[in-house]
Amino acid sequence: MIATMKRSTHLSWVLRRELFFRKLGFLTIPQLDPRRCSQVITKLLYLLNQGDSFTKVEATEVFFSVTKLFQSKDLGLRRMVYLIIKELSPSADEVIIVTSSLMKDMNSKTDMYRANAIRVLCRITDGTLLTQIERYLKQAIVDKNPVVASAALVSGIHLLQTNPEIVKRWSNEVQEAVQSRAALVQFHALALLQQIRQNDRLAVSKLVTSLTRGTVRSPLAQCLLIRYTSQVIRESNTQTGDRPFYDFLESCLRHKAEMVIFEAARAITELSGVTSRELTPAITVLQLFLSSSKPVLRFAAVRTLNKVAMTHPMAVTNCNIDMESLISDQNRSIATLAITTLLKTGNESSVDRLMKQITNFMSDIADEFKIVVVEAIRSLCLKFPLKYRSLMNFLSNILREEGGFEYKKAIVDSIVILIRDIPEAKESGLLHLCEFIEDCEFTYLSTQILHFLGIEGPKTTDPSKYIRYIYNRVHLENATVRAAAVSTLAKFGAMVDALKPRIFVLLRRCIFDSDDEVRDRATLYLNTLGGDGEVVETDKDVKIFLFGDLDIPLVNLETSLKNYEPSEESFDIDSVPKEVKSQPLVEKKAPGKKPAGLGAPPAGPPSTVDAYERLLSSIPEFSNFGKLFKSSSPVELTEAETEYAVNVVKHIFDRHVVFQYNCINTIPEQLLENVSVIVDASEAEDFAEVTSKPVRSLPYDTPGQTFVAFEKPDGITAVGKFSNTLRFIVKEVDPSTGEAEEDGVEDEYQLEDLEVVAADYMMKVGVSNFRNAWESMGEDFERVDEYGLGPRESLAEAVSAVINLLGMQPCEGNRGCRSQFKVTHVSTLWCIPRQCEGSCTVAVWN
Amino acid sequence: MELEALNDRFDLLVTKRSVEDSFPVVKNILLLDSEGKRVAVKYYSDDWPTNNAKLAFEKSLFAKTMKSNARTEAEITMFDSNIVLYKFVQDLHFYVTGGEDENELILAAVLQGFFDSISLLLRSNVDKREALENLDLIFLCLDEIVERGMILETDANVIAGKVAVNSMDPSAPLSEQTIGQALATAREHLTRTLFQ
């Protein structure tokens, strides 16, 4: 019957009419026919599943009809009723109608009723009802029927997001359920218990300790335990001796379930600072997976090894043979991962063989995979510059084949980077690019390559050989490319005097082009470069005028030009503001400006600083503070899971300090307005508040930033303590409509204190040769001072305390000092303090 | 737009809660036909907020996977920073999606549980026609495997058992309740004949 339902709007409409005007009536007749009722519900579910949505009226009508079906004792029908109630997600006043029926089912003798009623009720309930049924839920968690217990536990996991204070009261029952004999109950209980305690590191650590010694029954629960164990390892941070719990992870590698083995292997590879001795057993099991008959296992293993190869390429080399056989894997995801891993681990001698294999492979994979391979080849080439010839050939070959824009762009970018970083590759690379633009369908790529040729071409030994390719563009391409080609020709003319006469001939022909821009450019170049026949050396000023960098942000220029009204006064380019207001997020656009693939992977932290800098400079009040020196990492000013979560970032400028308070309102029923932080700086005498910037409105769960700026004397590393109070106007929000009430109440919320310390003025800078740097500084910058560190357990801990206190960068490998027996330890720390260049050597007396 | 991107960054800086790290999360389970049309689907994540976003995901996923041979063993692929496992039989395509950092083998267990329990429930006639005729069983089956992203059960026998108890199929295994019901009907029938 349902099989005949076709997904056409007309039929679906007919069906709905039928359902709403006849079948719903049918649902309510006194003698219920469970079978036909079930069919109607199935049809409704099918409609919802196909993406139809009921109008509010329809949904209410269905809901009321369905609630009447609680009269029926038929099990199958009841299950369908549960399902559709969950799908309809009734509103609060509708929920009340089914609550009593569901609560009756929750206390039923039938396990299936109990389990499902719990799931439905917890799905549709709100906080007030929850307190009424809490007692039953606690009972259900320890119910002897595993399905009932699981239903309650899983519901608890979801309720924790909305009503944490209630669910946290269930710890004892959940703890008991962790010991359950039923496999899945243990899994669900463990997940809930960890969620309840996630902010209590000690409790999680205790939980892990007890469970790693006990018995865990299901593989899923064992996987959870491995995850929590790695969290504990991550947070324990011990630097000396054996890693705690490593033995447990290692023992899991011998578990009988594959998912546990894999989870453990992955956890080991992700340990921070993992040693090769720790890695070996994990790599061995992953290697076994590589030759499995199941694609999922091969994929999981090769993906993990691929990640390991980024940090520990040597550890993976043992798997190279297995990896090579995966290049021909049916599953192209696996093949691509295998290739890129091999490209990371391969040595110089295996490059040629590998390239041969890849050539066959490239023709039958999708563009997205090809891009991955191209990027891997680029980093390989930078690693083995001597092999540039075969790698460059490979790139130019695939450049000639069919492919989309992104793929071609990846190849062109790679060639450009290789040309820049490997001088020997320049000539052949430029010729490859020239050949490519002869037959390139992408205007963007053509213009970029022409621009790049203009920069690099004149510097080669024989610039004249590129002219032909460039001039061909003037004949054959669209106006945009023609204009770019004219500029490139002019660059050759300006840079290479010998070519000048020939270039002028070519440029003169362009004066007759059909396009304005092309003609304008040609005329401009001819006039400025002196195209009236004489061969003169091009003036330096002219070169700068034509080809120099415009040191004005293009965005600013654009707005200024838009605002300019044609008048007697000509447009003055000096009037364009030079501050970067909002730097566009183009990082990978222009070839030739791209960061080298190999040297620049740690783009994480700088980009945050970038983001801060951009944010601050976009706020007019702070725009005259000068350059941002340093931003601290966020400091929490509230306990986890309080009503309002606030942390602060300290931004240090020359004469100012800006506190950026990141606030989150965690109460759905509230809307905060005019949120500001009142800072009492009575314990920070050197600071004077200049300005503050409140958040106008802070809705639920949307982060907002408020700022307070202080002035401080230049040249002093002013320190001090600030006490903070969050002040705001709170308005009630109706959760069902999301609309806020008109009137609000002013309120305050005490935050924790904040300190500005000496470390905030220190910038960590890596120094390769400490002694040279130190001696070049001179004695004027040297300060000797003594600090008491208090008792410390170990030397390593003392060193890390010093590093944290001073905010400086340890160098010459002093961070991980291992010896427990040395009495003194000379730690060399390096930094740029705010006011003067400086460094310090610290002797730590143990 | 610029500020939005920045705000996103700060979101990352500010909210440190990550649920994915704590327990495995299933983002969706899909059952499509041989043309990529929905038979039954269930989404547990907000990654696809509208029906159109869901349909677009299904369409491109189907296009990407339709040519692969996932009939004997489950296959796997990366798709839009998600991991998707899939298995085909007759004209039915089974998919399970999880996050980028999910343990692939856990997702594989979910797919296996889904696939096997459907096979059990449809008595090995696993094709689109049979599936549509027993759509109620398939909806119940999805309901028993995952609850809002959290894995409920992966053992196909247990899943099928839970669903079959409630099925209206007269040949389904008799449980306590159905015996009780059978007795009740019998008694009713008897009284009726006696009173005639």
Side-chain angles (χ1 to χ4, degrees):
Chain A
M1 167 198 66
I2 295 166
T4 55
M5 299 202 303
K6 280 275 155 52
R7 171 119 183 88
S8 82
T9 33
H10 177 67
L11 252 177
S12 139
W13 184 78
V14 170
L15 231 163
R16 287 170 78 157
R17 269 179 69 90
E18 185 195 23
L19 283 168
F20 280 103
F21 295 100
R22 282 200 287 141
K23 297 291 170 95
L24 280 182
F26 169 76
L27 287 177
T28 57
I29 57 165
Q31 271 84 38
L32 289 165
D33 178 347
R35 205 187 166 107
R36 296 203 57 190
C37 288
S38 289
Q39 282 171 356
V40 172
I41 294 180
T42 309
K43 274 190 183 178
L44 290 169
L45 284 172
Y46 177 80
L47 283 180
L48 287 172
N49 205 267
Q50 292 294 323
D52 266 319
S53 53
F54 293 150
T55 63
K56 189 128 181 52
V57 181
E58 285 172 337
T60 316
E61 210 167 317
V62 173
F63 180 78
F64 280 110
S65 316
V66 164
T67 51
K68 299 199 176 97
L69 298 179
F70 273 103
Q71 292 167 25
S72 164
K73 295 264 183 298
D74 185 89
L75 273 164
L77 178 56
R78 184 66 59 86
R79 290 254 13 215
M80 298 311 283
V81 169
Y82 293 139
L83 263 191
I84 192 137
I85 291 179
K86 280 201 271 189
E87 287 296 324
L88 289 172
S89 47
S91 63
D93 45 336
E94 290 170 345
V95 168
I96 298 168
I97 297 161
V98 282
T99 308
S100 62
S101 305
L102 285 170
M103 280 176 57
K104 212 174 117 205
D105 284 358
M106 251 175 80
N107 294 299
S108 146
K109 285 211 171 53
T110 315
D111 294 333
M112 192 278 294
Y113 280 175
R114 287 216 301 286
N116 279 291
I118 289 171
R119 285 173 61 191
V120 177
L121 206 50
C122 289
R123 169 81 74 102
I124 61 177
T125 191
D126 60 2
T128 46
L129 186 62
L130 195 57
T131 42
Q132 287 179 46
I133 58 169
E134 191 188 350
R135 190 164 54 93
Y136 304 112
L137 289 175
K138 276 162 111 174
Q139 269 170 29
I141 288 173
V142 288
D143 197 292
K144 62 180 190 306
N145 182 294
V147 183
V148 176
S150 283
L153 288 164
V154 172
S155 300
I157 291 172
H158 296 298
L159 289 171
L160 192 63
Q161 311 290 331
T162 50
N163 296 287
E165 66 293 344
I166 295 181
V167 181
K168 280 182 179 164
R169 293 201 291 256
W170 306 350
S171 297
N172 287 339
E173 285 78 10
V174 180
Q175 186 108 38
E176 198 179 324
V178 170
Q179 307 302 329
S180 161
R181 302 190 73 80
L184 266 296
V185 174
Q186 194 179 37
F187 166 61
H188 295 135
L190 189 51
L192 180 54
L193 196 59
Q194 192 268 349
Q195 290 275 292
I196 291 177
R197 296 187 172 168
Q198 60 180 341
N199 291 309
D200 185 352
R201 269 159 56 176
L202 196 67
V204 177
S205 171
K206 268 189 194 159
L207 176 70
V208 166
T209 314
S210 71
L211 282 174
T212 46
R213 292 194 196 120
T215 46
V216 175
R217 283 179 185 82
S218 81
L220 278 172
Q222 188 82 3
C223 286
L224 282 189
L225 185 54
I226 292 171
R227 278 185 202 190
Y228 304 153
T229 308
S230 0
Q231 275 171 22
V232 172
I233 296 179
R234 249 203 312 280
E235 282 160 5
S236 68
N237 239 338
T238 44
Q239 291 171 333
T240 45
D242 278 346
R243 214 186 281 274
F245 299 117
Y246 173 79
D247 290 343
F248 166 71
L249 292 183
E250 207 246 312
S251 72
C252 289
L253 294 175
R254 293 184 293 275
H255 198 276
K256 55 183 184 301
E258 281 161 345
M259 70 167 79
V260 176
I261 301 176
F262 176 66
E263 185 81 40
R266 204 172 62 155
I268 291 177
T269 62
E270 284 169 2
L271 290 175
S272 69
V274 64
T275 63
S276 53
R277 194 172 56 88
E278 287 169 324
L279 262 180
T280 312
I283 302 286
T284 312
V285 294
L286 290 174
Q287 189 176 4
L288 285 178
F289 283 179
L290 286 180
S291 45
S292 158
S293 64
K294 292 182 191 157
V296 178
L297 273 179
R298 296 199 299 272
F299 178 90
V302 78
R303 196 160 77 106
T304 311
L305 289 171
N306 189 301
K307 278 192 203 136
V308 178
M310 290 183 197
T311 48
H312 298 81
M314 290 316 289
V316 187
T317 42
N318 279 346
C319 313
N320 278 3
I321 296 177
D322 306 82
M323 212 75 92
E324 275 179 35
S325 59
L326 288 184
I327 294 180
S328 52
D329 200 293
Q330 285 281 315
N331 184 321
R332 301 329 272 168
S333 304
I334 296 176
T336 314
L337 283 167
I339 289 223
T340 48
T341 315
L342 282 169
L343 289 174
K344 282 174 199 138
T345 59
N347 50 24
E348 200 149 0
S349 58
S350 65
V351 168
D352 290 313
R353 189 161 47 95
L354 208 55
M355 297 318 292
K356 203 177 275 172
Q357 273 171 307
I358 295 175
T359 315
N360 302 329
F361 158 89
M362 287 299 268
S363 55
D364 52 35
I365 56 170
D367 270 13
E368 49 170 316
F369 293 138
K370 289 182 186 168
I371 293 173
V372 178
V373 175
V374 166
E375 276 161 10
I377 286 179
R378 179 175 69 212
S379 23
L380 183 74
C381 191
L382 292 170
K383 196 161 125 200
F384 303 122
L386 289 177
K387 287 286 168 195
Y388 80 89
R389 207 178 300 272
S390 65
L391 293 168
M392 189 66 103
N393 271 337
F394 176 80
L395 288 176
S396 73
N397 282 338
I398 54 174
L399 195 53
R400 264 182 241 125
E401 278 156 25
E402 287 290 298
F405 172 71
E406 290 297 330
Y407 172 47
K408 287 286 160 81
K409 185 169 171 299
I411 305 174
V412 170
D413 284 352
S414 299
I415 294 184
V416 166
I417 286 175
L418 297 187
I419 291 176
R420 231 194 28 227
D421 290 3
I422 306 171
E424 301 83 34
K426 190 191 252 180
E427 304 253 330
S428 63
L430 285 177
L431 276 177
H432 288 315
L433 290 179
C434 283
E435 269 163 35
F436 173 60
I437 54 172
E438 291 272 42
D439 186 25
C440 170
E441 55 189 309
F442 306 108
T443 304
Y444 175 82
L445 288 181
S446 293
T447 52
Q448 294 293 317
I449 290 174
L450 282 168
H451 175 76
F452 185 68
L453 275 175
I455 297 168
E456 294 293 337
K459 297 184 208 154
T460 54
T461 48
D462 182 14
S464 64
K465 67 180 166 194
Y466 303 106
I467 303 288
R468 180 170 60 89
Y469 296 103
I470 300 165
Y471 189 64
N472 278 347
R473 305 277 64 72
V474 181
H475 285 297
L476 302 167
E477 298 279 354
N478 61 40
T480 316
V481 180
R482 289 206 303 274
V486 168
S487 296
T488 309
L489 282 177
K491 270 182 210 159
F492 274 82
M495 311 285 277
V496 190
D497 291 331
L499 287 175
K500 229 169 223 172
R502 288 151 72 190
I503 296 284
F504 286 150
V505 174
L506 296 176
L507 283 180
R508 261 184 227 114
R509 286 187 200 162
C510 302
I511 294 179
F512 304 105
D513 196 278
S514 59
D515 185 76
D516 290 350
E517 172 77 19
V518 180
R519 283 199 308 272
D520 287 356
R521 283 197 191 192
T523 317
L524 172 72
Y525 292 131
L526 275 172
N527 287 332
T528 46
L529 296 178
D532 37 13
E534 312 161 44
V535 179
V536 282
E537 184 147 344
T538 312
D539 197 7
K540 201 173 175 198
D541 288 345
V542 172
K543 270 189 204 164
I544 292 173
F545 167 66
L546 289 179
F547 309 117
D549 270 336
L550 203 61
D551 58 346
I552 298 168
L554 286 177
V555 192
N556 296 0
L557 181 61
E558 188 184 341
T559 29
S560 296
L561 281 171
K562 272 183 189 157
N563 294 336
Y564 173 74
E565 281 170 23
S567 63
E568 290 290 296
E569 213 174 307
S570 57
F571 180 77
D572 180 13
I573 199 152
D574 293 327
S575 68
V576 180
K578 291 194 176 172
E579 304 92 82
V580 185
K581 278 238 171 71
S582 53
Q583 201 177 323
L585 283 167
V586 280
E587 279 164 354
K588 294 187 173 178
K589 273 288 150 64
K593 284 185 184 163
K594 209 174 162 182
L598 201 68
S607 65
T608 345
V609 176
D610 251 25
Y612 283 137
E613 206 169 345
R614 253 179 263 157
L615 180 84
L616 290 173
S617 60
S618 70
I619 300 169
E621 287 92 326
F622 309 143
S623 55
N624 59 349
F625 286 3
K627 191 169 162 37
L628 176 63
F629 172 70
K630 185 190 170 181
S631 298
S632 73
S633 47
V635 182
E636 299 292 337
L637 294 183
T638 49
E639 300 273 317
E641 303 191 357
T642 44
E643 296 96 314
Y644 313 109
V646 180
N647 66 26
V648 65
V649 178
K650 296 172 267 185
H651 302 290
I652 312 287
F653 290 89
D654 273 343
R655 299 172 53 84
H656 298 86
V657 175
V658 176
F659 296 144
Q660 172 188 339
Y661 296 90
N662 300 313
C663 316
I664 293 188
N665 164 19
T666 60
I667 306 176
E669 296 83 17
Q670 283 190 359
L671 170 74
L672 305 187
E673 288 190 349
N674 270 336
V675 185
S676 60
V677 177
I678 308 303
V679 184
D680 175 11
S682 54
E683 287 181 66
E685 286 159 4
D686 291 332
F687 295 87
E689 184 169 335
V690 222
T691 174
S692 70
K693 193 171 180 298
V695 190
R696 192 163 296 160
S697 148
L698 192 64
Y700 163 62
D701 213 18
T702 318
Q705 296 114 29
T706 162
F707 299 87
V708 182
F710 286 88
E711 199 169 20
K712 68 169 186 70
D714 200 0
I716 300 177
T717 50
V719 294
K721 198 175 194 181
F722 302 82
S723 53
N724 309 297
T725 316
L726 195 66
R727 185 175 289 172
F728 46 82
I729 297 169
V730 56
K731 292 184 174 176
E732 297 278 313
V733 174
D734 182 349
S736 57
T737 59
E739 275 171 33
E741 280 176 19
E742 294 250 324
D743 300 320
V745 189
E746 197 159 310
D747 202 356
E748 285 189 354
Y749 187 82
Q750 190 64 41
L751 303 173
E752 281 175 30
D753 291 350
L754 161 72
E755 274 190 89
V756 172
V757 292
D760 290 326
Y761 296 96
M762 304 291 176
M763 176 98 86
K764 287 188 175 186
V765 176
V767 168
S768 54
N769 188 335
F770 176 77
R771 190 149 299 278
N772 278 357
W774 175 259
E775 275 158 12
S776 69
M777 298 278 278
E779 287 187 2
D780 289 351
F781 296 106
E782 210 168 312
R783 294 274 180 284
V784 180
D785 221 332
E786 248 175 61
Y787 293 94
L789 286 172
R792 297 282 167 181
E793 285 223 330
S794 70
L795 192 55
E797 205 193 312
V799 171
S800 70
V802 171
I803 292 170
N804 286 337
L805 275 175
L806 297 176
M808 296 185 189
Q809 171 75 38
C811 47
E812 303 191 344
N814 277 317
R815 187 199 290 267
C817 83
R818 291 221 151 214
S819 157
Q820 292 270 18
F821 306 105
K822 265 200 316 200
V823 182
T824 62
H825 172 80
V826 178
S827 177
T828 323
L829 293 146
W830 174 264
C831 71
I832 297 182
R834 183 67 213 105
Q835 266 68 39
C836 54
E837 294 268 314
S839 73
C840 81
T841 307
V842 181
V844 183
W845 300 93
N846 197 14
Chain B
M1 184 209 91
E2 181 80 5
L3 259 170
E4 257 177 48
L6 280 173
N7 267 331
D8 285 351
R9 275 231 175 98
F10 285 118
D11 280 5
L12 288 177
L13 287 176
V14 177
T15 48
K16 289 184 294 183
R17 289 172 289 174
S18 73
V19 180
E20 286 77 14
D21 207 30
S22 320
F23 56 81
V25 174
V26 177
K27 288 194 177 179
N28 65 39
I29 300 183
L30 315 174
L31 179 57
L32 306 180
D33 70 6
S34 54
E35 288 163 5
K37 300 253 163 55
R38 276 181 193 172
V39 175
V41 297
K42 195 81 190 143
Y43 285 81
Y44 309 100
S45 132
D46 305 332
D47 293 10
W48 304 275
T50 62
N51 186 47
N52 283 341
K54 290 174 185 153
L55 285 172
F57 174 79
E58 287 157 31
K59 193 175 168 211
S60 43
L61 177 63
F62 182 79
K64 190 181 155 92
T65 55
M66 61 184 288
K67 285 202 194 94
S68 49
N69 178 24
R71 296 196 178 262
T72 44
E73 289 284 356
E75 280 288 345
I76 181 166
T77 187
M78 287 285 283
F79 185 65
D80 283 353
S81 328
N82 287 310
I83 297 208
V84 186
L85 284 100
Y86 52 100
K87 188 161 175 158
F88 306 155
V89 66
Q90 305 276 17
D91 51 359
L92 284 180
H93 293 208
F94 296 74
Y95 297 89
V96 169
T97 309
E100 190 172 19
D101 295 319
E102 205 45 81
N103 180 333
E104 291 89 340
L105 304 184
I106 293 182
L107 295 173
V110 176
L111 178 67
Q112 194 69 35
F114 178 42
F115 180 84
D116 288 349
S117 53
I118 297 283
S119 310
L120 283 170
L121 288 165
L122 301 183
R123 288 155 210 278
S124 303
N125 289 328
V126 188
D127 58 26
K128 183 184 173 188
R129 198 191 139 78
E130 195 72 18
L132 283 174
E133 277 176 5
N134 293 288
L135 208 50
D136 50 344
L137 298 187
I138 292 174
F139 286 138
L140 287 174
C141 189
L142 285 169
D143 187 55
E144 291 294 352
I145 294 173
V146 171
E147 159 91 22
R148 284 184 280 178
M150 179 81 191
I151 299 169
L152 275 182
E153 180 59 78
T154 57
D155 183 330
N157 287 313
V158 179
I159 298 168
K162 280 200 235 172
V163 174
V165 164
N166 316 304
S167 91
M168 297 155 294
D169 197 330
S171 56
L174 290 177
S175 69
E176 248 175 33
Q177 292 84 31
T178 42
I179 291 176
Q181 271 178 340
L183 283 174
T185 0
R187 201 177 301 128
E188 199 181 74
H189 187 74
L190 194 71
T191 33
R192 210 180 300 140
T193 40
L194 281 175
F195 277 86
Q196 264 176 355

